[in-house]
Amino acid sequence: MTYGVHTSDIENLINRLFSSIILEQRKYNSIKPADSNRRQIQNDILDIFKKNRGIGLYYDYISTGRGHGPFTELVDGSVKYDLIGSMGINILGHSHPLVIRSHLETATCDTTISGNLLPHSNQAVLTKRLLETVTKSRLKHFWFAGSGSFANDLALKLLWQKSAPRRRIIAFEKAFAGRSIASQNITWNTSYREDMPSLIDVDFIPHFDQSNPDKAVSKTLRALDKLYKQHSDEYCALIIELVQGEAGFVFGTKEYYRKIFEWARQRNIFIWIDEIQTVTRTHELFAFQMFELDDYVDVVTIGKTLQCCGVFYTSELNPKPGLIGGTFAAPIVSLNLAHKMLEYFQKGNFHGPEGRVVELEKIFLKKIEHLSGGTCSGKISYFGGIGTMISFEIGDSSEKTTWKFLSQLFNNGIIAFSAGKNPTRVRFLLPLSLTKTHIDEIFTIIEKTINQVI
Ligand SMILES: Cc1ncc(COP(=O)(O)O)c(C=O)c1O
């Protein structure tokens, strides 16, 4: 089946454009300081943008749309390592051939966005392809949503409808589920929902205690039992991030998750996994697959790296007509790219014990360990993470010190982000396009920055 318009002329032009674009983008292949004459242009854009938005930005960053692999160019002419990928979206890195190809192919079709009323064929094709990635589970359906937060809202509606009149949700301390009117209630950090009415009854329990792993299961189960005594017939679902992003990549063990999920299942509480940040980033395509929890999942929400957001759910949770809908499913270029990415991940050596994701994790953790035992001794208070999600703590692990480090790191050519409060961690959401040369340079910069700041 072809999609969009195709003639040999169009194919030739696409191929020529593809090569020309990639050759131009590949020029952005090393870090570079700002140009003095372009700095003012960026400052002017930022001043107006900040005024128009009303709220500032974490970094003085405006992209030119140019960059290659881990490199991104700013309007001020500087080129930096992007180790956060716009909060985790760009796992392939910048101007990846699949990204360019998806754009060019999509330019041959007639609209920009596939809608739920009159879907494009690639919406149907991607839905099928996504479901093929979860065949070991009971997940049988997938529905697109406009953002990760809206995917969680959609999940909540399915769960509520099936469980009515049970409404109560169990979530985890330090969770992040988004900022929509519903999902903000599940997000642990109350400063993100200041003055908002509390619209959903959500009870928080401790996640895996990294400082006391032997007691982690009993601690969580005790909290669950205590809640259940108070609200036994009110709970409909338990939502969990198997690797908690905002907490700085806190995760448990297969046994830990199994015990909690058994507890929930025995009480007819649905199990809802938020994989919005984790999908594609752990040792398997999904974190629930890495922890071998396929049997347990009732709902899985995804977003970020897959370029579109949405919800997988079991047949049992298929809603009544009219409950879910919405004009947009996803931009056509995102549908096209997501499909190509799934094929790329399946055919390439990315997931599994010998895959690139595991390899990157090992390299990063080893290098941080080396710094913390050597030239940065006493200055790195923690390091950890899993897959392409790596974190560490600097000095006293306070928000202030962490942001002092992150700002200096930015000036020195690397963009990263923070995670959590008390402690606050430095967070990397790594692209897969990093080479050994890049990683060596990144660690030279990290070492220099730690010693500048602490
Ligand atoms: C685990 C998790 N859930 C939900 C969301 C919300 O996704 P979005 O920002 O696309 O609404 C995020 C975003 O960071 C997330 O990390």
Side-chain angles (χ1 to χ4, degrees):
M1 184 181 61
T2 61
Y3 181 72
V5 288
H6 290 275
T7 62
S8 59
D9 199 27
I10 291 171
E11 288 302 321
N12 288 337
L13 287 167
I14 285 182
N15 288 336
R16 279 178 54 198
L17 264 174
F18 176 74
S19 322
S20 303
I21 292 169
I22 210 160
L23 287 173
E24 279 306 305
Q25 290 283 20
R26 277 174 61 171
K27 292 179 180 165
Y28 300 87
N29 60 7
S30 59
I31 57 170
K32 182 172 156 301
D35 296 341
S36 48
N37 55 343
R38 284 172 63 180
R39 199 172 262 139
Q40 195 51 45
I41 301 173
Q42 173 159 296
N43 287 344
D44 291 346
I45 296 175
L46 279 168
D47 282 351
I48 294 169
F49 186 42
K50 286 177 191 170
K51 212 186 293 161
N52 288 341
R53 268 178 32 134
I55 296 173
L57 292 156
Y58 279 99
Y59 290 118
D60 283 345
Y61 173 99
I62 293 280
S63 167
T64 57
R66 296 188 282 265
H68 187 67
F71 299 105
T72 175
E73 191 202 42
L74 282 65
V75 172
D76 68 7
S78 65
V79 178
K80 298 183 191 292
Y81 278 107
D82 176 7
L83 301 190
I84 198 64
S86 204
M87 226 38 227
I89 308 170
N90 303 327
I91 193 163
L92 297 178
H94 293 259
S95 69
H96 190 280
L98 294 183
V99 174
I100 300 173
R101 195 91 221 164
S102 302
H103 275 299
L104 291 172
E105 287 173 6
T106 309
T108 68
C109 78
D110 56 343
T111 63
T112 57
I113 294 180
S114 183
N116 283 316
L117 182 65
L118 303 176
H120 283 236
S121 64
N122 49 17
Q123 187 178 335
V125 170
L126 180 59
T127 303
K128 181 169 178 289
R129 188 72 192 76
L130 281 164
L131 287 165
E132 282 164 6
T133 65
V134 295
T135 46
K136 282 201 208 150
S137 72
R138 290 174 295 111
L139 302 168
K140 290 287 178 284
H141 307 287
F142 180 84
W143 193 279
F144 289 94
S147 71
S149 304
F150 293 153
N152 279 339
D153 283 12
L154 208 162
L156 190 60
K157 287 175 55 160
L158 304 177
L159 291 158
W160 274 346
Q161 188 170 73
K162 186 69 199 172
S163 312
R166 290 183 289 137
R167 294 273 178 270
R168 229 176 164 90
I169 302 292
I170 301 171
F172 284 77
E173 290 166 11
K174 302 197 175 178
F176 187 85
R179 288 186 167 89
S180 64
I181 287 176
S183 65
Q184 68 178 354
N185 293 265
I186 299 167
T187 292
W188 163 255
N189 187 341
T190 48
S191 68
Y192 293 162
R193 51 187 147 97
E194 222 180 297
D195 300 329
M196 294 292 103
S198 180
L199 298 176
I200 302 173
D201 290 322
V202 181
D203 296 313
F204 293 94
I205 55 167
H207 204 288
F208 188 81
D209 186 350
Q210 286 183 310
S211 63
N212 194 355
D214 294 343
K215 297 272 163 58
V217 173
S218 52
K219 188 171 170 186
T220 306
L221 287 178
R222 251 198 326 276
L224 282 168
D225 284 336
K226 195 168 160 207
L227 286 177
Y228 198 71
K229 265 195 197 134
Q230 291 170 309
H231 305 289
S232 56
D233 49 2
E234 292 173 50
Y235 289 112
C236 84
L238 174 145
I239 174 173
I240 184 166
E241 291 159 87
L242 299 173
V243 181
Q244 286 192 306
E246 271 266 306
F249 307 132
V250 169
F251 57 94
T253 59
K254 180 168 125 182
E255 291 67 36
Y256 172 82
Y257 294 124
R258 278 179 182 248
K259 293 233 165 80
I260 291 167
F261 292 171
E262 281 298 336
W263 181 96
R265 201 181 240 187
Q266 283 159 15
R267 289 158 184 81
N268 292 325
I269 295 170
F270 285 112
I271 295 164
W272 165 14
I273 315 274
D274 180 338
E275 293 246 15
I276 289 161
Q277 187 154 151
T278 46
V279 66
T280 77
R281 288 198 174 274
T282 66
H283 301 180
E284 299 297 336
L285 191 65
F286 294 88
F288 78 79
Q289 294 170 338
M290 174 178 67
F291 291 113
E292 298 175 44
L293 302 167
D294 306 63
D295 284 351
Y296 292 95
V297 297
D298 295 298
V299 174
V300 175
T301 42
I302 59 162
K304 296 203 188 243
T305 59
L306 277 184
Q307 313 295 306
C308 353
C309 303
V311 189
F312 289 97
Y313 51 95
T314 60
S315 301
E316 187 188 2
L317 287 164
N318 212 6
K320 293 177 191 159
L323 184 75
I324 59 178
T327 308
F328 288 176
I332 290 162
V333 64
S334 305
L335 295 168
N336 191 6
L337 178 54
H339 192 267
K340 287 189 194 312
M341 284 175 74
L342 288 175
E343 264 183 15
Y344 182 65
F345 287 138
Q346 191 195 13
K347 290 184 183 153
N349 183 29
F350 293 102
H351 296 104
E354 309 295 326
R356 180 67 182 149
V357 169
V358 169
E359 192 180 32
L360 271 177
E361 171 194 314
K362 283 189 188 151
I363 297 171
F364 265 75
L365 294 181
K366 204 163 165 210
K367 288 217 171 242
I368 304 175
E369 187 180 14
H370 184 72
L371 283 188
S372 79
T375 50
C376 298
S377 171
K379 299 181 182 181
I380 299 175
S381 7
Y382 162 91
F383 61 90
I386 191 157
T388 58
M389 302 176 287
I390 301 293
S391 65
F392 54 98
E393 292 170 27
I394 293 293
D396 60 6
S397 312
S398 66
E399 199 173 7
K400 194 169 163 218
T401 307
T402 310
W403 270 99
K404 196 171 159 202
F405 171 78
L406 286 168
S407 306
Q408 188 61 35
L409 194 68
F410 183 84
N411 294 337
N412 290 341
I414 297 177
I415 312 175
F417 200 65
S418 68
K421 265 189 188 149
N422 306 320
T424 302
R425 292 180 177 166
V426 175
R427 165 163 39 169
F428 291 152
L429 290 166
L430 302 174
L432 293 166
S433 51
L434 291 166
T435 64
K436 182 177 180 313
T437 315
H438 299 144
I439 297 171
D440 287 345
E441 185 176 32
I442 284 166
F443 274 90
T444 306
I445 298 171
I446 292 174
E447 179 185 24
K448 176 174 114 179
T449 312
I450 291 176
N451 288 318
Q452 280 174 333
V453 170
I454 311 270

